[in-house]
Structures are given as C-alpha cells and as structure tokens.
Amino acid sequence: MATTIAATGRSHALAGEEAVLRDSWSGDDAARARIDVHHHFTAPAWVDWAEREGLVRRQELPWWARWDLDSTLELMDRVGIATAVLNPTMQDRYRSAAQAREGLTVVFEALADLVALHPNRFAILDPAVLDYPEVTSWALRRAFDELGAVGVSVKANYNGVYLGDPSYDRFLAELDERAAVLFTHPLDLPGGPPGVPTVPGIPNFMCDFLLDTTRAAVNLIRTKTLDRHPHLSVVLPHAGGFLPQIATRMEAFGAFCTPPLDAALTRDYLHRFYYDTAGPMAPSGTLVATAGADRILFGTDWPAASADIITTFTVPAIETDPVLTNRQRRGVNRDNALRLMPTLRRAQVRSGGS
C-alpha cells in the first residue's frame, strides 16, 4: 500500500492516515467497506424547491445543510465508506400536509436518482413528518415499498413530547409491522428559541443534543415501548448521549420515576438499543460494558462533522480504542449494520468499486 501511495504522489501524512484505517484488519478489506449509518443528506433539488416555496433562504442555510456529491464521495473514499445511509434533513419546515407531501416527493426523487447513479454507495432512510400522520404513512409506504428504504428517521422529541409517549403508538405500530429500524436524532432542547444556545457561548450540539437523546432513551425505557413494539429496533446517535454513563444511576434511582423503573428492565433495554459512533465517540469502554460491542454502528455525522473531524477523531477513536478487539471493530465498521439491516447487503461493494 505504501508503494502505491508513493507512486501516485500522495503525501506522507495521507499514507500514515490510510495505514491507521487499514492496520487493524491485517489485509482484510472490511475497513475499506464501512457502512456509515449517520449521514445527513439535504438534497440540492429540495433546497431549490424549498427556496421557491419560501421555506428556506439559501444563503442562510447552516453548514450541515450544504450537501454535495463530489465532496461526499471524496470523504467516503478517503475513510473507506462503501455505503452511506442517507438521512434527509430539514423535513420539519412544512406548513401544510399538501406541502409536506410535495416536498417529500422532491426528496424521494432526488434519493432515487442518486441511488440509481451510485447504486453501491447509498442507501436511504424515510424521514418521518409526524405533524402530518397521513403524509407520514404515505411516505413510509413509498420509501419502503418503492425505494427500498432500510429504516426511518425521527426526532427525539416533537414540541417537547418525547419518543415513548403513547401519542407515538400509531406511528410505531406501523414500523413494528415492518420490523423497521428507527433512527433517532436530537435537536435543541424544548422551550428555547431554535438555534439559540441554552448557555451563552456553548453550542447546543455540544451538550444539549446529548441530553435530548438521553431523555428520549430513558422515556422509551420508562414506557416499555420496545415491549409494546417488539419487532422495532431503535438506534441512538452519538453513542447514546449520556445514557451509558448514567446506566448505574438509573438502576439506583429508577424507583423515583413514574412509573418506577425496574433495574432489570433498564439493563435489558440498554442491550436492546443500538448506538452509533458519530460525534465522535469517546473511548468505548463504558458503552461496550453497558450495551455490548455488537450494538455499536459506525457513523460519521457528515457533513455536520467535517472531513477533518472524521479523519482526526471519529475513525481513530474506533481504530485505536484498546477495549475493542479486531473482530469487534469489524462489527462496528460494517457487520453489525448488516445484521441489523440485511437489505443493506445489496448495496454493498468490495473495496475499489463505486
């Protein structure tokens, strides 16, 4: 490999970076076939449509909504991502059910075109628009039955009502019938103006996002949601927020919840959730001990996380973590995702393909 890099004139630094990415696999190409389950996608065609509709102003879009194909493929190739699971963003801005359906149609057409152009590189999630239940049901059918979606994305809370509340049961029952995978994602905590730091000088994604995820997870446990929907799988982003760190606290103080939280139930649910590495993930000892390495999935948070963050922090956090064995790393990088979402196998490619 070093000879190849030298021959193509790549820098010594890049050679070192690639060595870190491959080293622990001892020639196995699995490190070059990662599956990224945390990849934000804002379709350029949707931005065009939304600007015409007065839903966004292009010049005011945040950096994470400026997705483009060329830089995405460059990042994927650089860190060995064979397949990215695309999670459409900006889907909470619609003013009516009709507009939501029209906007989602634009998103689905963009996703279909992208997958057709690069069939081995991308898979898709269906974005739930829970303000409009009938549109959500229509989108679910189209995404899964026509486009081959591998999961559904949903926010941790809507208007301060967190996942696990009975108001979600109709939606979750539809997912349970399909044995679907539900990907949660945090945003600002309820009660404050969107995008305004709760603590001046500290961006909300630094701390508040993690609390948002943790609240949703604890509420799912408290309400026994996965018992009511036993075929549903839930993926918690950013290594589960604070959940692994407060696992013992939940067991110790669960009796103060309403209804009381049984310690055995807490331990059971901690092993039923899945967790992604986006963020990046801190050394995984706590998460492995709490949930097991087979519940961890590779995720980058691209483009919210830059290429430099992903290559400097996210990937090395996995590849150099002393707790993980090589077999566990392979699981994190791809095998756990394939086991959770078997339909991803048709979107897989061996290293060197596109």
Side-chain angles (χ1 to χ4, degrees), residues 65-343:
R66 300 177 185 275
W67 189 95
D68 74 275
L69 179 59
D70 289 343
S71 60
T72 294
L73 289 174
E74 181 181 359
L75 180 278
M76 291 172 65
D77 291 341
R78 184 178 177 187
V79 300
I81 297 169
T83 303
V85 180
L86 304 179
N87 185 353
T89 64
M90 314 283 283
Q91 300 303 300
D92 57 353
R93 301 188 173 217
Y94 302 119
R95 301 191 185 106
S96 68
Q99 190 179 59
R101 185 163 178 148
E102 184 178 346
L104 283 169
T105 297
V106 174
V107 171
F108 289 150
E109 289 175 354
L111 286 167
D113 290 345
L114 183 59
V115 171
L117 186 62
H118 297 280
N120 296 319
R121 305 309 300 268
F122 300 107
I124 70 172
L125 298 181
D126 167 42
V129 185
L130 296 184
D131 290 333
Y132 308 106
E134 297 306 321
V135 175
T136 292
S137 296
W138 163 81
L140 186 68
R141 293 191 297 272
R142 178 162 184 187
F144 276 82
D145 300 339
E146 298 179 25
L147 301 177
V150 298
V152 180
S153 65
V154 68
K155 294 190 296 185
N157 83 83
Y158 283 79
N159 302 315
V161 179
Y162 277 86
L163 285 172
D165 187 88
S167 60
Y168 290 90
D169 278 355
R170 174 187 168 184
F171 167 63
L172 296 182
E174 289 188 79
L175 301 187
D176 189 67
E177 288 179 5
R178 293 178 178 269
V181 180
L182 181 66
F183 289 80
T184 69
H185 199 281
L187 284 172
D188 299 334
L189 296 176
V196 177
T198 304
V199 180
I202 301 177
N204 288 342
F205 62 77
M206 186 73 72
C207 302
D208 291 16
F209 277 29
L210 302 180
L211 178 56
D212 201 35
T213 293
T214 305
R215 285 178 171 180
V218 173
N219 207 44
L220 288 167
I221 298 171
R222 183 187 68 85
T223 56
K224 302 181 181 179
T225 297
L226 296 185
D227 291 337
R228 299 199 310 279
H229 307 289
H231 304 108
L232 178 67
S233 299
V234 175
V235 180
L236 302 176
H238 311 128
F242 303 131
L243 185 67
Q245 284 71 36
I246 66 167
T248 302
R249 185 179 181 87
M250 289 174 62
E251 293 180 25
F253 295 103
F256 291 90
C257 291
T258 305
L261 236 175
D262 180 76
L265 177 70
T266 298
R267 287 191 294 270
D268 177 49
Y269 268 66
L270 290 168
H271 287 85
R272 292 171 72 174
F273 292 133
Y274 288 83
Y275 309 78
D276 76 40
T277 67
M281 185 176 71
S284 64
T286 300
L287 183 54
V288 171
T290 300
D294 63 339
R295 313 300 284 191
I296 305 174
L297 311 170
F298 179 79
T300 64
D301 219 344
W302 171 263
S306 68
D308 286 343
I309 289 174
I310 292 167
T311 57
T312 304
F313 296 98
T314 305
V315 171
I318 299 166
E319 295 306 310
T320 64
D321 194 315
V323 172
L324 294 173
T325 66
N326 284 348
R327 181 176 178 275
Q328 289 171 333
R329 286 191 183 91
R330 180 187 177 103
V332 171
N333 280 325
R334 70 180 258 114
D335 290 351
N336 296 342
L338 290 176
R339 187 174 61 254
L340 176 63
M341 297 171 283
T343 55

